[in-house]
Amino acid sequence: MARLRAFEVGHCMHPACMALKGAGLESRCFPSRAWLIETSRGLHLWDTGYATHFKDAARGIYRLYPLVTPVHLDAQAALVEQLRREGLHGRDLQSIVISHFHADHMAGLKDFPTPRIVCSGEAWDSVQGLSGLRALRRAFLPGLVPADTQSRLQFVESLPQRALPAELSPFALGADLDGSGEVLIVPLPGHAIGHLGAFVRLEQGWLLIASDAAWAKESYEALRGPSELSFLIQHRRSAYYRTLHSLHALHARGIPVMLTHEAPEQAP
């Protein structure tokens, strides 16, 4: 069985109503999480959260990103530093899975120069050549992509597909991250092109890392979506709500759902 540990890697501030309809204009803290997953085959990271590289990448026109969504990160809270204090280094990792290429999920890639980078091929293709306002609309900062990324990529579409147990319905198939059968990656469309989540099999049962399929647990519990304005940057509204209904079904069945940005007091 796998073991899972969450790390908070910086946070941003935004009006609560953007994440949840009717939540008001009060500014709310949205932590950015990464997960360390240990399977019987090795160690993996799920996303990286923010990193000090974000400040360097958010220059010129890209300064609009932190102006719209103020970002806070202490250098010692960078994921590479948190792992170092645990005695872990990039060479200890088998892979880093990037759920999607929004800056708050992949800003730390340059801190880990050796592991393979696993992502959706569709997601990777969608950010090729993006710059300026087109990149900003996708919350993508080109300066965060390591120069050698192409040589380190493995697309999730190339991984073996495994049947998921009936308790995880309506999800039927997952991509086996490392052959252990303990981390099965699934598409969670709507938020971003090629957006991914993963079922992780722990000793106590399965849970879903749902990345940005929702920004608050009330969304999947009560089928209460975000502000309609959020779909100016999210990929596709109809797919988003189909995914939200799938999370709702898992929650009703008692499968824990973990979100990247939910408030600390909400996290399972």
Side-chain angles (χ1 to χ4, degrees):
M1 305 301 175
R3 295 196 293 178
L4 186 67
R5 182 171 175 185
F7 292 84
E8 289 192 15
V9 193
H11 67 274
C12 67
M13 304 296 296
H14 217 62
C17 62
M18 287 299 290
L20 198 65
K21 285 180 181 176
L25 293 172
E26 183 179 0
S27 187
R28 178 172 174 175
C29 173
F30 293 92
S32 187
R33 289 186 181 82
W35 284 271
L36 178 68
I37 308 171
E38 181 180 358
T39 74
S40 57
R41 301 286 180 88
L43 292 171
H44 309 271
L45 285 180
W46 187 272
D47 289 337
T48 70
Y50 289 109
T52 55
H53 307 289
F54 180 88
K55 184 177 179 180
D56 296 327
R59 299 182 186 276
I61 193 170
Y62 302 111
R63 286 182 297 176
L64 289 172
Y65 187 124
L67 285 175
V68 173
T69 308
V71 171
H72 303 268
L73 174 73
D74 183 294
Q76 290 304 306
L79 185 58
V80 66
E81 296 298 335
Q82 293 194 59
L83 292 179
R84 186 175 291 132
R85 291 194 290 274
E86 300 288 332
L88 295 173
H89 303 274
R91 62 180 178 271
D92 300 317
L93 301 170
Q94 188 177 116
S95 67
I96 301 176
V97 185
I98 298 299
S99 63
H100 60 298
F101 283 93
H102 288 181
D104 54 336
H105 291 257
M106 45 80 70
L109 274 177
K110 289 183 176 180
D111 288 330
F112 301 98
T114 54
R116 66 173 176 162
I117 299 170
V118 178
C119 66
S120 159
E122 184 183 22
W124 175 248
D125 289 345
S126 75
V127 298
Q128 297 310 292
L130 276 188
S131 62
L133 289 174
R134 290 178 62 238
L136 279 170
R137 190 177 179 276
R138 302 254 185 105
F140 174 67
L141 300 184
L144 294 175
V145 179
D148 66 344
T149 297
Q150 187 73 54
S151 66
R152 296 166 56 197
L153 284 175
Q154 180 170 15
F155 295 138
V156 70
E157 292 88 347
S158 71
L159 297 174
Q161 292 286 312
R162 308 294 186 206
L164 294 172
E167 66 184 300
L168 303 182
S169 173
F171 297 91
L173 294 173
D176 192 340
L177 177 60
D178 64 0
S180 68
E182 297 164 19
V183 182
L184 300 176
I185 301 173
V186 293
L188 297 175
H191 173 68
I193 296 174
H195 181 252
L196 300 173
F199 286 104
V200 182
R201 190 177 185 185
L202 307 178
E203 185 175 354
Q204 57 268 42
W206 291 97
L207 63 74
L208 176 67
I209 299 176
S211 307
D212 279 7
W215 289 323
K217 68 174 186 178
E218 295 96 330
S219 286
Y220 63 79
E221 287 179 349
L223 294 177
R224 182 178 164 195
S227 166
E228 291 301 311
L229 287 174
S230 74
F231 292 103
L232 293 174
I233 60 167
Q234 299 205 81
H235 176 52
R236 188 164 294 159
R237 185 182 186 279
S238 58
Y240 180 95
Y241 277 99
R242 284 195 297 271
T243 293
L244 198 63
H245 276 80
S246 295
L247 300 190
H248 180 74
L250 291 175
H251 171 68
R253 209 173 288 122
I255 304 297
V257 175
M258 304 181 72
L259 304 175
T260 299
H261 299 300
E262 65 188 320
E265 63 272 14
Q266 292 184 330

